[in-house]
Amino acid sequence: MLFGRQPRTLLDMLAEQWEETKEEVKDLLTYTRDLRENLHPVWEEAHTALREAQTKQKQIYDARSAVRTLAVGDKALVLLTSTENKLLARCQGPFDVIAQINPTIYRLATPQGTGREQIYHINLLKKWLDPHRWAFRPLHRLRCYRRHPISHTPYPRTVQSGQTVDQSRSYRVLP
């Protein structure tokens, strides 16, 4: 086999001469025209299948995606490669958003008052939420305690740091 076809050997040529049956040899123009006519329906079918697959993939992507925007004056973290390793990317910042060039491109000010500005795509940015603006419960309570699901009677327990839990609530120690 030669590229999916049976190769033409000397015996085949001799047999053609004896039987006087020759394969029809087409000129290049006729062969090209026939090939295009045969491939056109296949191309249309492949193009239709491609459009259907793209539509389905777009619907799946759009179901999970959300439009992200930043306002001028917001702070943002930028996903940048590290200086030690090109393959390691970390969020750096926060940097101030100076301008929105278009719906997906933003201009950010660099730190330390260098006066330089950088342009980034929204996919590399993450809105910075100032931790001082949010009230957090102590971390040891989040990890060690939860409401007892069965009884509503108070269970005073001591926290690892030695503080006692409010006795008006029912808590139990998590394993």
Side-chain angles (χ1 to χ4, degrees):
M1 293 275 289
L2 178 69
F3 299 113
R5 295 182 298 176
Q6 190 70 25
R8 196 167 168 206
T9 63
L10 290 173
L11 291 176
D12 294 331
M13 288 187 238
L14 284 174
E16 286 175 6
Q17 282 182 357
W18 289 336
E19 297 171 359
E20 295 182 4
T21 57
K22 235 182 186 179
E23 280 188 23
E24 180 183 338
V25 178
K26 296 181 183 177
D27 63 337
L28 184 61
L29 185 61
T30 308
Y31 174 77
T32 307
R33 184 185 51 206
D34 291 345
L35 181 65
R36 289 183 91 184
E37 288 174 2
N38 292 339
L39 288 180
H40 189 70
V42 175
W43 178 83
E44 286 179 351
E45 186 176 335
H47 198 64
T48 304
L50 177 66
R51 273 193 244 120
E52 290 174 5
Q54 285 175 341
T55 304
K56 185 177 178 181
Q57 290 171 359
K58 182 179 181 342
Q59 289 173 350
I60 292 170
Y61 178 80
D62 288 345
R64 294 183 180 171
S65 68
V67 177
R68 294 185 298 147
T69 58
L70 296 171
V72 175
D74 284 349
K75 291 189 178 283
L77 296 174
V78 181
L79 184 66
L80 297 173
T81 57
S82 117
T83 56
E84 298 88 26
N85 186 355
K86 293 179 185 179
L87 301 177
L88 180 64
R90 292 184 179 166
C91 285
Q92 297 177 7
F95 303 127
D96 291 324
V97 176
I98 297 174
Q100 180 179 5
I101 297 172
N102 66 32
T104 58
I105 307 292
Y106 291 88
R107 178 174 284 137
L108 276 63
T110 55
Q112 292 100 15
T114 57
R116 294 188 47 198
E117 301 171 351
Q118 292 287 333
I119 296 174
Y120 296 103
H121 192 272
I122 189 70
N123 290 346
L124 295 175
L125 302 176
K126 184 176 182 179
K127 187 172 183 177
W128 168 257
L129 300 175
D130 190 12
H132 300 292
R133 296 178 64 191
W134 303 95
F136 291 108
R137 289 186 5 193
L139 188 57
H140 63 273
R141 284 193 181 183
L142 292 175
R143 290 188 178 164
C144 299
Y145 293 97
R146 70 175 176 208
R147 282 204 176 271
H148 194 281
I150 301 169
S151 172
H152 294 289
T153 59
Y155 289 91
R157 304 282 188 219
T158 57
V159 183
Q160 292 176 355
S161 63
Q163 302 172 345
T164 58
V165 178
D166 184 12
Q167 293 185 8
S168 64
R169 295 182 167 186
S170 59
Y171 290 97
R172 71 180 174 96
V173 176
L174 291 178

